[in-house]
Amino acid sequence: MTSTHRQRRRLVGSVNEFTALHHAGRPLLLPNAWDHASGAALVAQGFPALGTTSLGVAAAAGLPDGVGVTREETVALARRLVTLPCLLTVDIETGFGDEPGEVAVLTGELAGMGVTGVNLEDALGDVGRQCELIAAAKTSGLFVNARTDTHWLKPDGVDLDAEALRRAQSYVDAGADGIFIPGMTGESSIALAVREIPVPLNILYSPAGPGFARLAELGVGRVSCGSLLFRAALDAAVRVAAAVAAGEPVAADIISYAEVAGFSTRWDNAVSKSSPASFGSRR
């Protein structure tokens, strides 16, 4: 068997494993990492799969999110995260290219390094063109999560649920393995989407929407954290700095220097995935 055949078999196996995690009633909770340390910490807690957050990638590099300027940073992060013992799906925004061929090249590169899936958003562009990009991404063999931004961008005068379902069906027909509708928080809308969309539905967790358990009851297949963890980490950092400056107490049980330093070494020397780390009672 050639190395190409072995690589293809590994990819098929990882995609099948990833797909199997999208259970109605027991959805995949997907935390989103922005660097190796955040990814390693999440894997140490036992999460079997990670996504990346485009906001985290862009903001960490001092670049704007969602305008297609972070291809290099996104690929570099993927190359770091695939060294961890988990499945990885990468947010590629609108594909980092205007042509289907460019999307095919990018997704092929990601598949070659060990990535399992990609998230590809439509920014409410032309449906036919988006279908071409989805079909191009599928040539890589990756799990393609097709995102529609109906409920994220909320265009005036549009029935958001109807438009989301229309786009979702077109994307499924083009080969999408999952549908992502960020910003959809109404339970009736989510339940309708679960009924009508024949592939796993991905919902972005929102403090203003249903909790994880309720989303599971509604039949959602994946619950993503998006940029929430990245924003929470920034918020926590600023709060700790402000507490120090104000002479206020700081929690003594935060993750230790030694544990974080261990994330930069080989995973075999870090916390075992089968024995999740506890980030309490630090010394």
Side-chain angles (χ1 to χ4, degrees):
M1 182 183 296
T2 67
S3 60
T4 300
H5 288 141
R6 285 193 294 271
Q7 179 181 338
R8 187 69 180 181
R9 287 186 64 177
R10 284 195 297 270
L11 176 60
V12 170
S14 68
V15 170
N16 288 342
E17 182 181 357
F18 187 62
T19 302
L21 293 174
H22 295 69
H23 295 285
R26 187 165 58 88
L28 169 65
L29 177 58
L30 187 74
N32 299 78
W34 58 93
D35 60 11
H36 183 273
S38 60
L42 290 163
V43 172
Q45 284 294 99
F47 289 99
L50 298 178
T52 62
T53 162
S54 65
L55 175 65
V57 172
L63 296 170
D65 180 33
V67 295
V69 297
T70 57
R71 185 190 193 282
E72 180 180 346
E73 289 79 9
T74 298
V75 171
L77 175 59
R79 187 170 289 111
R80 295 187 188 101
L81 293 179
V82 293
T83 63
L84 297 171
C86 67
L87 301 168
L88 177 66
T89 181
V90 175
D91 186 338
I92 59 171
E93 297 186 8
T94 57
F96 297 122
D98 296 326
E99 298 300 323
E102 294 176 285
V103 174
V105 168
L106 172 59
T107 54
E109 181 180 357
L110 293 172
M113 69 174 66
V115 170
T116 301
V118 291
N119 193 73
L120 181 62
E121 62 197 58
D122 66 5
L124 292 187
D126 179 74
V127 172
R129 183 61 168 176
Q130 190 67 14
C131 288
E132 292 178 0
L133 298 181
I134 291 168
K138 278 303 298 178
T139 62
S140 65
L142 295 175
F143 184 107
V144 176
N145 200 41
R147 166 176 157 173
T148 182
D149 290 310
T150 50
H151 292 67
W152 197 248
L153 298 180
K154 293 181 170 60
D156 293 334
V158 173
D159 183 326
L160 300 183
D161 289 355
E163 180 63 10
L165 293 178
R166 182 182 77 86
R167 287 175 174 265
Q169 187 57 61
S170 294
Y171 299 163
V172 171
D173 291 343
D177 302 288
I179 295 294
F180 185 23
I181 313 179
M184 178 179 274
T185 57
E187 290 194 9
S188 60
S189 296
I190 293 170
L192 175 64
V194 168
R195 289 196 304 270
E196 297 296 325
I197 298 172
V199 297
L201 176 66
N202 183 186
I203 292 295
L204 180 68
Y205 172 78
S206 169
F212 181 75
R214 181 56 180 153
L215 290 170
E217 291 174 349
L218 291 170
V220 170
R222 184 199 301 189
V223 180
S224 295
C225 294
S227 65
L228 177 62
L229 306 184
F230 173 69
R231 292 182 286 111
L234 288 180
D235 184 73
V238 172
R239 288 175 185 270
V240 169
V244 172
E248 298 173 352
V250 174
D253 62 348
I254 61 175
I255 187 170
S256 72
Y257 176 96
E259 286 169 297
V260 175
F263 293 152
S264 63
T265 64
R266 290 180 57 88
W267 182 259
D268 289 344
N269 296 326
V271 181
S272 170
K273 179 182 176 184
S274 62
S275 180
S278 172
F279 290 161
S281 302
R282 300 294 175 193
R283 294 182 179 180

